[in-house]
Amino acid sequence: MTTPKAFLHPTNFRHEIPVKRLMNDLPGGIGYGVAMLVIETLAGQPDMRYPAEAVDLLAHDIGVSIPILNTVLTTYGLFEEVRDENGKSYICPSLNIWQEPYLKKVEINSLRGKKSAIKNQLRLQLQIDELNHTLSSSDSSQQLINKIINKKIKNKSLNGETRELKAHLIDKYNNTNAKWEGVAGYKSLSIINGYLHNNVTGKDLAPEAAIEAWGKLAQQYATEGAKK
């Protein structure tokens, strides 16, 4: 049970018959004051119980004698003695009733807090699932793009005949002074270190550009015959 931080009591508590008898037997506010201090102490105890074996300490804390405290605890029906596995203790039945609204509110707030925590967890999980879906979709899109690119490159790759002519041209004209003009739109091409070389820019052709140029060069070589 949650230990209350405060306790509630009706304003007409002092008008109840047992309390009026208490106030009559212990006048000057002594009886009523002791009763309220005991109730206040119980409100701050776990399960709102006080161990009977520590009544002497309670009397010391309140500032009254043990006989007066025992009289308040046992004579007027404001408190009850109960026993459980932990031994004998005192409770105040009225306090338990008074605190029900407070304890119920505490329980409701606790349940709301747990509900909010669950909602936050579910919201976070939804965000994670959405992110995973987005990443999955992104990966799928990228895979599709890669397939299209690979397909295009594959479609542009050299066929068997062209590869044979390419190998022949490299074997015959690699690192020589042989030049081809106007092939695939290039002003001057040579074969250097096995690659088609743009003599104007001084750089080898990029892979896709080289595939196209090799195809054109092989076609031209096959059509015109070996003139070089």
Side-chain angles (χ1 to χ4, degrees), residues 3-226:
T3 302
K5 296 182 180 180
F7 72 95
L8 306 173
H9 70 282
T11 56
N12 62 348
F13 178 59
R14 66 183 185 279
H15 298 305
E16 295 182 9
I17 298 299
V19 180
K20 291 176 75 71
R21 291 191 185 281
L22 169 64
M23 295 171 65
N24 184 65
D25 294 344
L26 297 172
I30 295 176
Y32 185 77
V34 171
M36 293 305 297
L37 286 171
V38 172
I39 292 174
E40 179 183 305
T41 301
L42 289 174
Q45 296 295 311
D47 296 329
M48 294 187 290
R49 299 185 176 200
Y50 197 91
E53 62 182 14
V55 166
D56 57 327
L57 300 178
L58 180 58
H60 180 270
D61 290 341
I62 294 176
V64 296
S65 65
I66 294 176
I68 290 178
L69 178 57
N70 281 329
T71 298
V72 174
L73 289 173
T74 61
T75 304
Y76 303 96
L78 301 175
F79 305 96
E80 288 184 8
E81 183 181 287
V82 296
R83 292 179 179 272
D84 56 20
E85 64 276 6
N86 296 320
K88 185 170 67 174
S89 57
Y90 288 101
I91 67 170
C92 176
S94 296
L95 176 63
N96 292 342
I97 295 173
W98 299 339
Q99 293 299 87
E100 280 184 5
Y102 172 81
L103 295 175
K104 185 174 291 186
K105 182 178 180 180
V106 170
E107 183 180 3
I108 291 174
N109 288 339
S110 176
L111 292 174
R112 284 176 177 171
K114 292 178 181 178
K115 182 179 179 181
S116 178
I118 292 174
K119 281 186 176 180
N120 289 335
Q121 185 176 359
L122 289 174
R123 187 180 299 111
L124 178 60
Q125 186 60 50
L126 287 174
Q127 291 175 347
I128 292 174
D129 291 344
E130 184 178 354
L131 178 59
N132 287 335
H133 177 71
T134 301
L135 291 176
S136 177
S137 299
S138 177
D139 291 342
S140 299
S141 299
Q142 188 59 49
Q143 290 174 6
L144 179 60
I145 292 173
N146 290 339
K147 287 182 179 179
I148 294 174
I149 292 175
N150 291 336
K151 185 176 181 181
K152 286 184 176 180
I153 292 176
K154 184 177 181 181
N155 290 338
K156 288 187 176 181
S157 62
L158 302 178
N159 58 35
E161 182 181 355
T162 304
R163 282 198 301 271
E164 291 180 1
L165 287 172
K166 173 185 175 182
H168 172 72
L169 290 169
I170 292 175
D171 182 64
K172 188 174 183 179
Y173 298 111
N174 187 44
N175 295 327
T176 66
N177 293 325
K179 294 181 175 60
W180 290 269
E181 298 178 355
V183 176
Y186 293 96
K187 186 173 182 179
S188 177
L189 293 176
S190 297
I191 301 176
I192 298 178
N193 298 325
Y195 296 98
L196 279 179
H197 186 78
N198 188 335
N199 297 317
V200 176
T201 62
K203 296 180 180 180
D204 293 338
L205 300 187
E208 287 192 32
I211 289 174
E212 182 180 358
W214 276 117
K216 297 290 186 181
L217 181 58
Q219 184 179 8
Q220 177 179 313
Y221 186 81
T223 301
E224 297 180 359

